[in-house]
Structures are given as C-alpha cells and as structure tokens.
Amino acid sequence: MSFWVYENRVVNKTRVHTASCPYCQEGRGLHGGGDRTTGSWTGPLASLEEANRVAAQFARSDNRCCLHCIPIAARSPVHLLSHARVAESDFSAINPRPVASEEHTCLVSLRWEIAGHLSLEPGEKIQFPTVTEKPGLYSIRISLPNDNELRYIGETDNLKRRFKNYRNPGPTQTTSIRINESITHHLKFGATALVAIATDFWLGHEAAVLDVDLREKSVRRLFENLTISLDASRGIRTLNL
Ligand SMILES: [Zn+2]
C-alpha cells in the first residue's frame, strides 16, 4: 500500500490518503492531479509515517489523515487531536469565499444499512426493527402487491425515538400520524416494508474528505433532500410531501 499527501492551499491544510482512495486515485484526485494553484499531490510514499512527515513539512495549520480511507486506529494521536480541533471550521471549506471563475466540485456519499422489515402486531401496532439512537437518515421502502414501490425518506437526531413516534404518534405529530396510517394501510393489504438507516456520511471537497456533523439538522437535510431528489429522478414514488 502506498500513500499520497494533498496540500490544499485554499483552506491551508494537508490530507494523507491511501493511493486507492477515491479522493486520491494515485494522485489524480478529483480534478486530474498535477500541481494547481489550489493545491498539489505528493507521492507515492511508502508508509503512513513517511506521508505524515511529508505532510508536516508543508507547515499548514491543519494536517490530518483522510477520514474515508485511513482507519482511526492507524492515525496518530496528534492527528486525532488536530482532527477534533478543526472539525467545525472545516465545514466552511465547502463554500469558500467565491473566487471568479473557480469551480468547486463536491462529492457526497452516504451508506445505507438494512435495519429490517416492518410488520403489524395484533392491534395493528407497527413493529419496527431495533435501531441506534444516533442521528441519521432512514428509508422506508414499501413494496406493494402490484409490484409498485413507495419510498419514504426522513432525517432525525435520534433514529430510535423517531421509530417510536411512528409506532405511537402523539396527537399533535401530524407527520408521524400520516406515516403511521400509510404504513399500516399498506401492510394490511399485503405490502412488505423494508427499513434502511444511514449514519455514515462523507462530503468530499478539493480532494479532502470533510467530517460532517450529523447533529446539525441542516447537514441532515442536505443528505435527505439529495436522496429524495435521486429517487425522484429514478421515478420511485415517494411518500415525502
Ligand atoms: Zn482518502
């Protein structure tokens, strides 16, 4: 395995990647590599230690390993510390001060995990799969007996609590009541419903992976809206209003 260092001159930082990382691609990055005014790739380097040394030589204010390709266990404590310190300011890199005729490409990525099927208990209570209390996105895919498919995408700061609300919606929770009634109706008439959740998200920019804070509703909405738009473009019917 070899490593590359990306020096980002726009936001004053370096990122160490493995050569095979999609953001690195053997030093070609997202923009075809080479030495550009915005930054440059150095590599291949034989070890992570060497890559970290090279990164430090650029004397940028923020030197870290890529969150996407280098496991946390492999990063040095120094990296973890600096990582925690800059996590907040990093987000500004997505939308830097506009520069005339400069183009910004952003790579958005999330991973869905199947949580399980929904079923109706006696008394028509919906049984949800057990999920984490983490913030994230969820997708409920309802397959109708006529082979049509409906999908509902949502975001929440607590997945477990959200499913509890869908199971037992309060009298003022109009969305939860609507989703509860829709799922109950379809399950009663022979549909199956599969739940997937996503708690891992990445934003890639200028060949670096930005840490995203899912505790922020605006961040969750970004990924939610993107997923809904993708479904719409594929012709999947949605329960999102
Ligand atoms: Zn990487």
Side-chain angles (χ1 to χ4, degrees):
M1 184 191 287
S2 61
F3 298 85
W4 287 77
V5 177
Y6 184 73
E7 182 201 15
N8 188 326
R9 296 172 189 135
V10 179
V11 289
N12 197 28
K13 68 185 183 183
T14 65
R15 289 291 179 271
V16 173
H17 297 264
T18 62
S20 59
C21 174
Y23 297 98
C24 172
Q25 303 187 62
E26 315 275 347
R28 291 188 302 276
L30 299 175
H31 303 289
D35 195 352
R36 303 159 67 97
T37 50
T38 50
S40 71
W41 287 95
T42 305
L45 301 158
S47 69
L48 185 56
E49 290 67 35
E50 193 188 344
N52 282 336
R53 248 192 326 272
V54 169
Q57 283 165 8
F58 288 111
R60 294 288 173 185
S61 64
D62 165 21
N63 303 298
R64 283 195 274 159
C65 291
C66 169
L67 294 171
H68 183 71
C69 65
I70 298 177
I72 288 172
R75 295 176 211 155
S76 69
V78 173
H79 278 87
L80 286 178
L81 270 180
S82 81
H83 167 89
R85 189 165 48 78
V86 298
E88 199 124 318
S89 62
D90 222 6
F91 207 71
S92 64
I94 309 164
N95 196 4
R97 248 175 259 119
V99 178
S101 80
E102 194 170 338
E103 193 177 292
H104 292 285
T105 310
C106 203
L107 209 143
V108 181
S109 169
L110 70 141
R111 187 171 60 220
W112 289 107
E113 287 168 61
I114 303 289
H117 279 94
L118 299 182
S119 57
L120 275 188
E121 292 172 1
E124 295 189 357
K125 282 253 180 245
I126 304 168
Q127 187 172 32
F128 279 86
T130 307
V131 293
T132 169
E133 296 197 35
K134 282 185 193 170
L137 258 61
Y138 53 93
S139 143
I140 301 174
R141 202 170 76 195
I142 302 175
S143 303
L144 303 176
N146 64 5
D147 284 342
N148 280 346
E149 193 174 289
L150 292 167
R151 191 128 91 122
Y152 183 73
I153 306 282
E155 57 77 22
T156 173
D157 62 343
N158 184 326
L159 285 159
K160 190 176 190 162
R161 192 177 59 221
R162 176 57 52 84
F163 289 170
K164 214 173 120 191
N165 288 341
Y166 283 168
R167 182 180 155 91
N168 290 311
T172 57
Q173 295 174 320
T174 49
T175 304
S176 293
I177 291 171
R178 183 171 69 83
I179 299 304
N180 173 293
E181 285 175 351
S182 179
I183 294 170
T184 305
H185 169 84
H186 289 299
L187 289 178
K188 256 167 75 179
F189 291 98
T192 57
L194 186 66
V195 178
I197 60 169
T199 55
D200 277 333
F201 299 79
W202 299 271
L203 279 178
H205 179 260
E206 293 287 344
V209 177
L210 311 180
D211 202 6
V212 293
D213 187 353
L214 285 180
R215 289 168 304 180
E216 293 287 340
K217 190 180 178 70
S218 58
V219 174
R220 297 195 304 270
R221 289 295 302 260
L222 166 71
F223 285 94
E224 180 192 32
N225 287 328
L226 182 82
T227 312
I228 293 170
S229 306
L230 283 175
D231 272 4
S233 72
R234 291 174 185 143
I236 297 173
R237 280 168 64 204
T238 178
L239 287 173
N240 291 79
L241 293 178

